[in-house]
Amino acid sequence: MNTETTPTLPQHPKLNRLFRLQYEDAQKTHVLLYPEGMVKLNQSASEILLLCDGTRTVVQIVATLEAKFNAQNLQADVQSMLEEAVRRNWLDDA
C-alpha cells in the first residue's frame, strides 16, 4: 500500500526564503542555491520556478508557459514539478 500523500500546492507558489534561484554561466543553467548546497535544474524546472514569485496561481503559471512555448496540456507536468518542489521544501505560499 502506498502511504505517500500528494502534497498540497500553494495557491500562489513562491520560493522558500532559504533558497535562491540564479543562472550559473559556468554551468549554462539555473541552479537552486541553499545553505547546504546547490541543485542543478533542467530547463523545464527552471522555467517553472522562475514563475513562482508569489503573484501567480498554478493556473496562471501553466497558461504563461503554454503561451511562451506555444504548447498545450502542460498542466500535469507543471503540477508534478510543483508537487516535487513542495516535497523538497523549495516552495512556500505567498
Side-chain angles (χ1 to χ4, degrees):
M1 184 167 104
N2 186 355
T3 59
E4 275 188 49
T5 60
T6 302
T8 302
L9 293 180
Q11 291 285 334
H12 295 87
K14 69 173 185 170
L15 279 181
N16 180 319
R17 64 180 183 85
L18 298 176
F19 295 88
R20 188 174 78 230
L21 181 64
Q22 72 179 41
Y23 185 80
E24 284 291 324
D25 203 33
Q27 297 188 39
K28 305 267 189 263
T29 190
H30 281 88
V31 296
L32 198 54
L33 300 173
Y34 58 103
E36 297 84 25
M38 174 182 80
V39 177
K40 185 176 176 181
L41 301 170
N42 65 26
Q43 182 182 359
S44 298
S46 299
E47 294 289 344
I48 293 166
L49 290 179
L50 284 167
L51 295 174
C52 292
D53 59 5
T55 66
R56 295 175 180 92
T57 64
V58 173
V59 170
Q60 290 169 323
I61 291 170
V62 170
T64 300
L65 291 168
E66 288 179 343
K68 181 175 183 176
F69 294 104
N70 193 26
Q72 295 179 354
N73 303 317
L74 296 181
Q75 176 72 34
D77 291 332
V78 172
Q79 185 161 334
S80 177
M81 166 48 194
L82 292 174
E83 287 171 355
E84 183 62 24
V86 168
R87 271 193 288 277
R88 293 177 182 238
N89 201 32
W90 295 351
L91 295 176
D92 285 331
D93 201 346

